[in-house]
Amino acid sequence: MSDTSFQTEVSAKAAESGANASAQFAERMAAAGGRRGAVDTARADYLASKAIKALNDIVIEDKVSYEEYNALKAWLIKVGNDGEWPLFLDVWLEHSVEEVANAHHEGSKGTIEGPYYIPDSPELPWNGTIPMRDGEPGTPLVFKGQVRAVDGRPLSGAKVELWHADNLGFYSQFAPGLPEWNLRGTFIANEDGEYEFTTIRPAPYMIPTDGACGQLIEVAGWHAWRPAHLHFKISAPGYDLITSQLYFPGDPHNEDDIASAVKPELMLDPHDNPNGEGEIVEYDFVLDPES
Ligand code: DHB
Ligand code: FE
């Protein structure tokens, strides 16, 4: 990697990755038919009334002042201007939505998707290498395992979509200067449901600090870190898709992930690869029949 592409990448601005995340989300919602039919009138009335009441209760109980009310108003306007609604919602709310959505699953645990998924990444064989730059910095990581059903049947041809940050904590298509599909790929499991592909170990991720979310984090005295993680979507016809993230032992932010997305079942156990190059790790995915 040249010095100039390094500088382009690290000079990424919150407004830039936020605007990309907002645009990507809008595109996917439009492709799925927009909002039509998603929430009926009775449910919208119930949920919106309850949310508004919860906020009013806080104002009364905690005697919120006009200064605080105006600070909130200015901040909410800034969240929109910075395009940071996807980041805000995925960090502070999505984990509960995911918990509710997948509570009935008996197979592998999942976790939040986050704002940086892009569908239709390049398809690769079960033992391929994820798209990366020449000399991509970072420890090589071989990831192997099997996709199977809860009844133990291997799922031949299952799709294992992987996306993750690079060795500096940046995602392609959301930070400038990275090739379009860098560290994004769709591996197709072999006839035994197996995969054994190569990537690099990602760095911990810091949510952008120069936008509205960063402003809240600073004012409230929080930190902006997510532990290093690999994002996955695992799918096979007739089974519920799993959206997951996997984490590395020893990361200082496994215990205080700002997005509350770490679970004990999602911890990897990497070892030195006997081939002398980097690390190897095994992890299987177990899918529930379509619900
Ligand atoms: C955010 C970023 C991530 O990489 C992730 O997995 C979840 C949330 C964020 O910036 O909002
Ligand atoms: Fe992420």
Side-chain angles (χ1 to χ4, degrees):
M1 190 173 57
S2 72
D3 288 340
T4 51
S5 79
F6 175 86
Q7 276 157 11
T8 315
E9 195 178 349
V10 296
S11 67
K13 290 282 172 290
E16 200 163 347
S17 64
N20 286 350
S22 295
Q24 282 293 342
F25 181 74
E27 206 173 292
R28 279 172 65 199
M29 285 299 278
R35 287 173 292 137
R36 263 170 289 125
V39 188
D40 69 28
T41 302
R43 183 76 171 160
D45 172 26
Y46 174 76
L47 291 178
S49 299
K50 200 163 177 176
I52 289 167
K53 181 174 186 313
L55 287 171
N56 278 276
D57 287 349
I58 294 170
V59 171
I60 304 290
E61 281 166 26
D62 295 297
K63 299 187 170 40
V64 172
S65 69
Y66 259 103
E67 287 72 24
E68 289 167 332
Y69 172 69
N70 285 332
L72 172 67
K73 208 163 167 179
W75 183 77
L76 289 171
I77 292 166
K78 185 171 165 59
V79 176
N81 289 342
D82 291 348
E84 284 202 340
W85 280 115
L87 276 66
F88 173 77
L89 290 166
D90 294 350
V91 165
W92 284 296
L93 197 58
E94 192 192 350
H95 64 94
S96 295
V97 180
E98 191 278 328
E99 185 182 319
V100 171
N102 296 325
H104 64 291
H105 277 172
E106 290 172 14
S108 299
K109 283 262 181 264
T111 189
I112 68 169
E113 175 177 310
Y116 299 142
Y117 172 65
I118 308 267
D120 304 318
S121 62
E123 270 196 18
L124 299 156
W126 70 283
N127 58 355
T129 295
I130 203 162
M132 61 172 87
R133 294 163 288 184
D134 284 345
E136 183 74 39
T139 307
L141 180 70
V142 171
F143 190 95
K144 66 180 288 193
Q146 185 191 42
V147 186
R148 56 180 179 272
V150 283
D151 64 8
R153 199 172 343 154
L155 295 177
S156 163
K159 278 189 179 176
V160 179
E161 291 178 76
L162 169 63
W163 73 103
H164 64 86
D166 67 11
N167 184 50
L168 296 169
F170 292 100
Y171 286 85
S172 61
Q173 301 191 39
F174 296 92
L178 291 168
E180 187 178 17
W181 294 106
N182 210 52
L183 305 177
R184 296 177 182 273
T186 301
F187 299 91
I188 309 296
N190 71 11
E191 55 280 8
D192 298 316
E194 294 163 343
Y195 45 83
E196 180 168 351
F197 51 76
T198 303
T199 186
I200 56 115
R201 208 170 148 149
Y205 170 83
M206 188 173 66
I207 78 161
T209 52
D210 60 328
C213 292
Q215 196 179 51
L216 171 62
I217 286 166
E218 193 187 327
V219 166
W222 302 337
H223 72 77
W225 290 98
R226 298 215 58 225
H229 55 279
L230 301 169
H231 287 269
F232 288 93
K233 280 186 187 281
I234 315 296
S235 56
Y239 293 85
D240 278 352
L241 178 149
I242 296 178
T243 298
S244 194
Q245 298 186 25
L246 300 176
Y247 303 92
F248 298 88
D251 190 300
H253 294 294
N254 284 334
E255 276 72 49
D256 64 356
D257 176 15
I258 190 163
S260 311
V262 180
K263 303 177 186 182
E265 298 87 346
L266 304 178
M267 204 53 66
L268 291 169
D269 184 20
H271 295 283
D272 287 343
N273 192 329
N275 76 5
E277 286 175 37
E279 296 176 315
I280 185 162
V281 70
E282 260 190 84
Y283 194 90
D284 296 345
F285 293 100
V286 180
L287 303 192
D288 281 67
E290 201 159 31
S291 48

